[in-house]
Amino acid sequence: RKEVEQDPGPFNVPEGATVAFNCTYSNSASQSFFWYRQDCRKEPKLLMSVYSSGNEDGRFTAQLNRASQYISLLIRDSKLSDSATYLCVVNSGYALNFGKGTSLLVTP
Amino acid sequence: GAVVSQHPSRVICKSGTSVKIECRSLDFQATTMFWYRQFPKQSLMLMATSNEGSKATYEQGVEKDKFLINHASLTLSTLTVTSAHPEDSSFYICSASGQTNNEQFFGPGTRLTVL
């Protein structure tokens, strides 16, 4: 079983839609959690950290359920510029474990 | 955020040649640098972790004699792909973290194509 699993998508949504991505992780001892964004042929960039209490950054809301080992990312009012691959990332010690990513395409 | 550069951004080479990729932290001292590899439509896979002045720690399945890592200073790490083969063609990304926190800052990546 992979350490971090995500639905690869693609998710095709119209501008203004709300879209949610899910992620599960296998290591219950994992300590920190992140969502990264990766544009085609580019390096991943940190979108937001994920905290146990849930956290919001503008149109983006992240949730963590430690009991279920489940992480989510909600994007509201999606923009064309949100089109990218969203990577669920879990830190289980010294290293970051990346999911394969979920591809999002926002269309006009 | 902190800036990490990589050079070259793209390299095309013949099978059997060696390729060196540089990773530099431009505005902070990177006590630890990480090297990742990403094949198309796959996740980033950690290849090795290097701490300045010590030998790199390689992940299982990564040949240390093929992927030579040198972390000679707090701002520079190099990855040398020796005797490259077409199956080594991939996107190689480094990241660096400093002393103040464990956040990793990623370089822009190097796209290697071995013919």
Side-chain angles (χ1 to χ4, degrees), chain A residues 36 38 41-44 46 87 91 94-96 98-100, chain B residues 34 36 38 42-43 46 49 59 91 103-104 106-108 111:
Chain A
Y36 278 72
Q38 187 175 25
R41 296 176 170 264
K42 300 284 189 183
E43 79 276 21
L46 180 64
L87 308 175
N91 189 336
Y94 69 96
L96 296 180
F98 287 79
K100 283 189 180 181
Chain B
F34 304 83
Y36 295 84
Q38 186 178 32
Q42 300 296 314
S43 57
L46 180 66
T49 303
E59 296 299 300
F91 190 44
E103 183 176 355
Q104 290 186 31
F106 286 84
R111 191 159 299 281

Side-chain angles (χ1 to χ4, degrees), chain A residues 63-108:
Chain A
Q63 298 274 357
L64 168 64
N65 184 322
R66 283 188 186 270
S68 303
Q69 295 178 204
Y70 170 96
I71 307 162
S72 66
L73 176 68
L74 184 78
I75 305 176
R76 289 182 300 278
D77 187 24
S78 43
K79 312 290 184 192
L80 297 177
S81 56
D82 293 334
S83 297
T85 298
Y86 290 83
L87 308 175
C88 177
V89 183
V90 174
N91 189 336
S92 302
Y94 69 96
L96 296 180
N97 291 301
F98 287 79
K100 283 189 180 181
T102 299
S103 177
L104 171 66
L105 178 62
V106 181
T107 54

